[in-house]
Amino acid sequence: MDVYLFWIMAKNTVTITDNSTGKSIEIPLLQGTEGPATADIGKLYSELGIFTIDPGFTSTASCESKITYIDGEKGILLYRGYPIEQLAEKSTHLEVCYLLLHGELPSKTQLQSFRSSIGHHSMIHEGLKSFFNGFSRDAHPMSIMVSVVGALSAFYHDSLDIFNPEHREISAHRMIAKMTTIAANSYKYSVGQPFVYPNNELSYTENFLHMMFSVPAEKYEINPVVADALDKIFILHADHEQNASTSTVRLAGSSQANPFACISSGITALWGPAHGGANEAVIKMLMKIEKPENVNKYVEMAKDKNSTFRLMGFGHRVYKNYDPRAKILKETTERVLKALNVSTPLLEVAMKLEEIALKDPYFIEKKLYPNVDFYSGIILRAIGIPLNMFTVIFALGRTPGWISHWMEMIAEPKQKIGRPRQLYTGAVSRNYVDISKR
Ligand code: CMC
């Protein structure tokens, strides 16, 4: 089939003409409140019989959203319009959860009632505990998270009518509340300590630290510096528009699957080292580099096309500038290490790595800067979070983002099941050959 297409771009439309048939289609150019114009190609196939292809979605928007905006060229990140720097400095994670879910910062009363609802849902069903016992003690906590979060749908089926806004809200609160308990339990199980029940007198982040680190035999004092740093980490990870895990949650949700199953699929997508698994990979890389003198060798290896080695915690699909979250975490790292009086060669190695990479033409040309995962691991390590829990911390932080996107999608009246097309390059139609003739 010969198709000759002409694209003519006007102010608010692109006209595409197929010269072989003379048929034309006017494609609307949509303009959001921020960001580039977006061509609505939804009728391209029904009108002109052609698909578009964009592996990795480098130029393709998968949905419309009001939650988070990123300007990757300028290094800007806004949640519901508020700059991430202001939220990290002035807000708390629970307040950010409310903001992401509802679109506005809460009043004092709204925050109080939200906090009380999250507290109310913080325990997990006693029956869920037997799930943990089925895992081997050395299971990666992310594998436990995927299973136990998916299993929530078997215990909380009284709120699974996704077309009922009240059910959606209860599920959202349950999800945010129970993630801390499930995450802490997966750690406790791996070290053979008893599960610790939540204490609703504590803040969201303090409660998580309490369930992670306290034991019945001793009094556990929460260090405010540690609680503050972890709360910041949660805020900085809370949402990042249509990343791989959030897009997975939306795609799973588009089939009308229940929210717990959808969040579980998001946790799976987060696990890989190109996404949320990078924080664990960064620390393993820094430990391998060992000392600042070895940094050059690894930078050369990252540039070598024959090597599969990449600088973990560097580069981003959207940011072509310093990731604003990494900037905040770099300052937080220095503050936390000073306050805890901890010194680690990992920070020295990381700073040297950043210094060398940012001056190197390879990284400059490709606009590769430190991302959120570059410094977060150093803080997590300093406050006593074990390496295999790093991606769990990311999942905990990202939960309000996932659930807000799920809520936004379900409430959208034009919502359709996600069903991409493909460019088929396999065998053309042929006849079956009997096994004796192959
Ligand atoms: N080290 C060395 N080279 C790199 C790196 C890196 N970390 N990242 C990208 N490049 C090169 C890559 O080889 C490619 O070169 P060329 O054009 O010559 O083939 C070019 O830069 C573009 O890379 P890409 O893989 O096509 O870019 P992408 O947008 O598909 O990937 C990324 C983005 C984050 C997966 C990638 O930068 C990466 O693998 N970084 C390391 C892993 C990491 O830190 N991930 C966490 C991301 S931030 C948190 C999150 O979203 O979860």
Side-chain angles (χ1 to χ4, degrees):
M1 178 179 71
D2 289 329
V3 180
Y4 305 94
L5 294 176
F6 278 87
W7 293 62
I8 302 170
M9 207 151 151
K11 195 167 169 243
N12 295 319
T13 54
V14 178
T15 306
I16 303 180
T17 306
D18 175 353
N19 250 16
S20 63
T21 61
K23 256 184 123 177
S24 277
I25 172 174
E26 279 215 337
I27 297 212
L29 274 184
L30 310 178
Q31 188 59 62
T33 45
E34 300 264 18
T38 303
D40 176 358
I41 56 162
K43 291 214 162 70
L44 203 55
Y45 177 64
S46 61
E47 300 280 324
L48 290 187
I50 57 171
F51 292 156
T52 55
I53 185 167
D54 181 15
F57 296 89
T58 54
S59 304
T60 301
S62 61
C63 63
E64 199 180 302
S65 181
K66 293 182 170 51
I67 302 174
T68 288
Y69 174 70
I70 306 173
D71 183 331
E73 297 299 325
K74 295 190 185 136
I76 291 173
L77 170 61
L78 312 175
Y79 293 166
R80 299 286 190 181
Y82 294 103
I84 192 65
E85 293 80 2
Q86 292 181 20
L87 293 170
E89 190 195 331
K90 299 178 179 167
S91 191
T92 63
H93 181 59
L94 215 53
E95 196 179 41
V96 167
C97 290
Y98 184 99
L99 172 69
L100 290 171
L101 279 172
H102 298 280
E104 296 298 337
L105 287 167
S107 66
K108 258 190 193 161
T109 338
Q110 286 166 329
L111 185 58
Q112 223 161 13
S113 117
F114 183 61
R115 185 177 289 139
S116 130
S117 173
I118 297 298
H120 176 74
H121 291 296
S122 60
M123 287 197 295
I124 56 170
H125 193 289
E126 288 291 307
L128 259 172
K129 290 187 184 166
S130 53
F131 270 70
F132 290 88
N133 296 327
F135 289 94
S136 77
R137 292 273 174 193
D138 59 357
H140 195 289
M142 281 296 276
S143 63
I144 302 180
M145 296 296 289
V146 169
S147 324
V148 178
V149 170
L152 289 175
S153 48
F155 289 83
Y156 300 101
H157 35 75
D158 58 336
S159 65
L160 292 187
D161 177 2
I162 63 163
F163 299 111
N164 179 335
E166 230 175 281
H167 278 210
R168 294 203 293 266
E169 184 157 307
I170 296 171
S171 289
H173 290 197
R174 280 184 167 150
M175 202 58 262
I176 292 170
K178 292 180 198 309
M179 276 300 270
T180 45
T181 317
I182 298 171
N185 284 6
S186 63
Y187 168 67
K188 285 296 193 192
Y189 181 74
S190 73
V191 289
Q193 289 179 4
F195 295 158
V196 175
Y197 284 104
N199 172 353
N200 291 337
E201 281 174 12
L202 300 171
S203 76
Y204 184 83
T205 302
E206 287 169 346
N207 205 0
F208 172 65
L209 286 167
H210 157 74
M211 290 189 281
M212 268 291 284
F213 294 120
S214 70
V215 288
E218 277 173 28
K219 193 167 162 40
Y220 173 69
E221 296 276 350
I222 293 164
N223 182 330
V225 175
V226 169
D228 180 65
L230 193 56
D231 204 65
K232 254 190 201 36
I233 288 181
F234 288 155
I235 293 174
L236 296 176
H237 286 82
D239 193 40
H240 216 228
E241 48 116 311
Q242 311 311 322
N243 55 84
S245 56
T246 304
S247 301
T248 303
V249 170
R250 277 188 176 259
L251 192 56
S254 77
S255 77
Q256 300 172 4
N258 73 71
F260 303 116
C262 296
I263 302 296
S264 168
S265 67
I267 298 174
T268 317
L270 183 79
W271 197 351
H275 193 8
N279 51 15
E280 191 176 328
V282 167
I283 294 296
K284 286 183 179 157
M285 173 189 77
L286 295 176
M287 282 158 68
K288 209 160 137 196
I289 298 176
E290 207 185 336
K291 42 190 180 193
E293 300 86 282
N294 294 339
V295 162
N296 273 316
K297 188 174 102 193
Y298 284 89
V299 169
E300 289 310 309
M301 210 163 39
K303 289 155 52 178
D304 182 358
K305 284 283 156 224
N306 298 316
S307 157
T308 54
F309 177 77
R310 279 186 173 201
L311 286 192
M312 298 315 288
F314 254 80
H316 198 276
R317 169 61 61 75
V318 183
Y319 291 119
K320 300 302 164 200
N321 201 324
Y322 211 102
D323 180 336
R325 301 166 301 171
K327 213 176 269 175
I328 299 168
L329 283 177
K330 187 178 179 183
E331 289 162 18
T332 314
T333 310
E334 289 168 319
R335 195 152 19 88
V336 168
L337 294 186
K338 201 168 159 210
L340 297 180
N341 203 12
V342 171
S343 77
T344 162
L346 296 185
L347 180 62
E348 269 178 69
V349 174
M351 286 172 87
K352 187 77 189 165
L353 191 59
E354 179 186 336
E355 184 196 321
I356 293 185
L358 291 185
K359 281 191 211 140
D360 191 295
Y362 173 96
F363 290 89
I364 295 171
E365 263 164 42
K366 295 187 192 300
K367 299 185 177 172
L368 301 170
Y369 292 85
N371 60 48
V372 69
D373 293 310
F374 194 65
Y375 285 105
S376 64
I378 301 178
I379 304 178
L380 294 177
R381 218 172 141 78
I383 66 180
I385 308 278
L387 195 54
N388 64 2
M389 282 293 289
F390 284 13
T391 312
V392 171
I393 299 287
F394 195 146
L396 232 172
R398 184 57 53 89
T399 300
W402 289 331
I403 202 78
S404 301
H405 280 273
W406 177 82
M407 301 263 276
E408 181 177 65
M409 181 191 64
I410 300 293
E412 164 61 61
K414 286 184 290 184
Q415 188 266 327
K416 278 182 175 183
I417 187 165
R419 204 311 181 181
R421 300 296 192 141
Q422 63 169 10
L423 170 65
Y424 177 69
T425 54
V428 294
S429 174
R430 50 186 170 165
N431 288 322
Y432 180 81
V433 180
D434 193 80
I435 196 158
S436 61
K437 299 201 175 108
R438 282 177 231 158

